[in-house]
Amino acid sequence: MTVKFLLIWMLYVVLDHTDAYDFRYHNYSQITNFLHNIAAIYPAKAAVFDIGKTEGGRSLWAIAISAYAPNQHVLLRPEVKYIGNMHGNEVVGLELLLSLIEYLLTSNDNQVVELINRSRIWIMPTMNPDGLELSRYGDCSTTNGRYTLNNIDLNRNFPDYFGTQLATPIRALETDAIMSWIGAVPFVLSANFHGGAFVINIPYDRYYIGKQSISSDDDIYQVLAKSYMTRIGEMSRFCDIKNDEVGTAVHGADWYEIIGSMQDYGYLNYGTIEMTMEISCCKYPTEDLLMPYWNVNRDAMIELLFQAQRGVKGLILNEYSQPIPFTQIMIDDRRPVINVTPLGEFWRILLPGIYTLKVFFRGYEVHRQPIVIQDILIPLNLTIIIPQVAYAPYSFQPIQILSAFATNSVQSLSLSYTLILLSLTLCTMK
């Protein structure tokens, strides 16, 4: 062991007691130190990014974890993310994510090794560190610390798909930062950890067409959500069955309708499989419950991350092996469609079955083929070659990007086409 490594390790162990396995609560300063210290110990597997600043000037830290090149996007390697503490007083998810970071970087478990070999995992322990600093230990049900410093509920602050007015006309700095992040990284799967109930919330969070709350991917959502809830079901013993919301998977709008949720924004605009995990009936429980929550959630969190390997991935190229801009894929008639990245990549989580994969250029179908998805966590890997002669006739036609809803067939071109990958634009924190 080198002297340099020994000094870094000693710093990690003693500085501010930032070891997540203490199973105690961490404030913003301790979270910051923990992330930077552990990234310094494992520089080949972890990189810390400053995604943006809060109203109070605090950084929104995210750590990217992978067995190789954690500081950059790698062709066809799926990107997944976990976010915690969107509401600053809902803290269990934050602590579980700190423990998960350490577990992913230190465990020799074969499943963990395989997971970080096959994906890049982004973890943002707190999306609302300003609110965290205002929240109160042991407070199960109030709103102290829930909002940003300018009193914005971040889960009511994302642009509505049809432009419906939000509760506040002000867009939070935190919201802007997350929008830039998810617009630049092609996330396949995402989970947002909340507290105050014991359910898994799946799209849609509001009724977009009549009283319709079920998405085209409800089969996928039901399997993933019920699998997670089944694994952690015993934690319901910490809930008050008479007064707390306790169940399994629920469509957000059927639970209670909201406008401007992060979940719907990510799913409708980018096709990311987005889930909201309500995993603790008490928002800020006593510290003695953190270890039981971690012991129960750990394997469920790992299993969910693996679902990014389910389905199909591939490249859309022309005969010169060049990516084709303004390209999307659709599976059967499922909405939303998936934007192909500037490198020509696409991913789509699917359950086992037979599907039709369609490719659209500027909103016009230029290719389709049947695909068969097996019941394994290894995606079907395709390279689809579309000759220029097949899509060139549409180059001068008006761009028509397929909407997330069949009843609204076109919309303006997504901003994701004008963004480059986050790994090329954000500065890695040393």
Side-chain angles (χ1 to χ4, degrees), residues 104-136:
L104 291 174
L105 291 172
T106 62
S107 175
N108 292 320
D109 181 83
N110 290 336
Q111 190 179 39
V112 172
V113 172
E114 181 183 4
L115 178 63
I116 66 173
N117 268 311
R118 295 170 58 187
S119 57
R120 181 161 68 152
I121 302 161
W122 294 78
I123 299 176
M124 178 180 284
T126 174
M127 183 178 160
N128 187 4
D130 293 349
L132 173 66
E133 297 299 300
L134 298 175
S135 58
R136 300 175 182 175

Side-chain angles (χ1 to χ4, degrees), residues 192-257:
N192 179 18
F193 291 84
H194 284 242
F198 197 67
V199 300
I200 305 299
N201 179 354
I202 59 178
Y204 293 116
D205 277 328
R206 90 162 177 91
Y207 297 118
Y208 293 91
I209 307 295
K211 286 294 184 178
Q212 178 70 23
S213 65
I214 301 175
S215 72
S216 295
D217 293 313
D218 195 59
D219 57 339
I220 299 168
Y221 278 115
Q222 292 290 343
V223 169
L224 270 55
K226 289 178 180 178
S227 175
Y228 195 103
M229 185 57 71
T230 297
R231 282 182 171 271
I232 69 169
E234 68 180 83
M235 299 308 291
S236 64
R237 70 182 187 273
F238 297 118
C239 297
D240 181 339
I241 302 300
K242 292 183 179 180
N243 298 314
D244 291 324
E245 296 284 354
V246 180
T248 55
V250 59
H251 301 109
D254 294 339
W255 186 16
Y256 58 91
E257 187 177 13

